[in-house]
Amino acid sequence: WHSVADTENDVERFPAYSAPSLIDRYNETRDAVFGHMTEKSSGTRFHSADDTKNTPLLGEASTLSDVLVGLADLRERVYERHRVQGSGDTPAVHTNSGGDTTNELTDPTKLDDLLVAYLDALADDAPTAATGEVDGAVTAAARGFRIVT
């Protein structure tokens, strides 16, 4: 499925035994996925073009809540959408028209679906943050949430 086999963005498969190790494992996985999709890791391109469409919306995790939302982002918004990005899509990531038809994940949970729907709604809008406000708070306020000070 790739123009060059990716041997650089491996993630070791072993369980996390504590909250800090789970956060570390998530961040390592996030970096590997992003590195695979772009030339970020070493300048090697594994695809016909960098996948700039399906990049992670969330940054690195620092809490277990970050990991919960981040995993839904990585699993559904990033990996699954990247996997099916083919030569006829923009950007043309994989060398065939259907993308990677082998490495499909199991069905997402309802919570994953909910989180991804929310993240998609946030990604659709690009409000300008007021001075002193973070972008996420402004976006949430645009969706009906209140900013409490």
Side-chain angles (χ1 to χ4, degrees):
W1 310 116
H2 301 96
S3 51
V4 175
D6 185 352
T7 58
E8 298 176 17
N9 294 297
D10 292 335
V11 177
E12 292 183 41
R13 294 180 63 144
F14 60 87
Y17 293 103
S18 66
S21 71
L22 177 64
I23 292 167
D24 289 343
R25 300 288 302 145
Y26 165 79
N27 288 331
E28 178 185 336
T29 302
R30 181 190 174 280
D31 288 347
V33 169
F34 190 64
H36 171 79
M37 294 169 52
T38 66
E39 292 182 80
K40 175 184 177 276
S41 58
S42 67
T44 303
R45 182 180 306 242
F46 305 106
H47 300 90
S48 305
D50 282 354
D51 187 347
T52 55
K53 180 179 179 183
N54 301 302
T55 56
L57 186 61
L58 303 174
E60 288 191 351
S62 58
T63 67
L64 291 177
S65 297
D66 294 344
V67 171
L68 174 70
V69 177
L71 284 173
D73 187 33
L74 277 184
R75 177 184 166 83
E76 302 305 319
R77 289 191 66 262
V78 176
Y79 175 77
E80 274 300 301
R81 293 177 186 176
H82 167 79
R83 184 182 66 77
V84 299
Q85 191 88 1
S87 59
D89 298 314
T90 302
V93 175
H94 293 104
T95 55
N96 65 329
S97 63
D100 177 349
T101 58
T102 303
N103 298 300
E104 188 174 355
L105 298 177
T106 58
D107 290 338
T109 66
K110 289 181 180 180
L111 180 57
D112 287 337
D113 286 342
L114 175 66
L115 291 170
V116 168
Y118 179 70
L119 293 172
D120 280 342
L122 292 178
D124 278 346
D125 291 337
T128 303
T131 303
E133 293 287 348
V134 286
D135 292 77
V138 173
T139 304
R143 297 283 180 206
F145 289 85
R146 286 187 307 142
I147 298 175
V148 179
T149 57

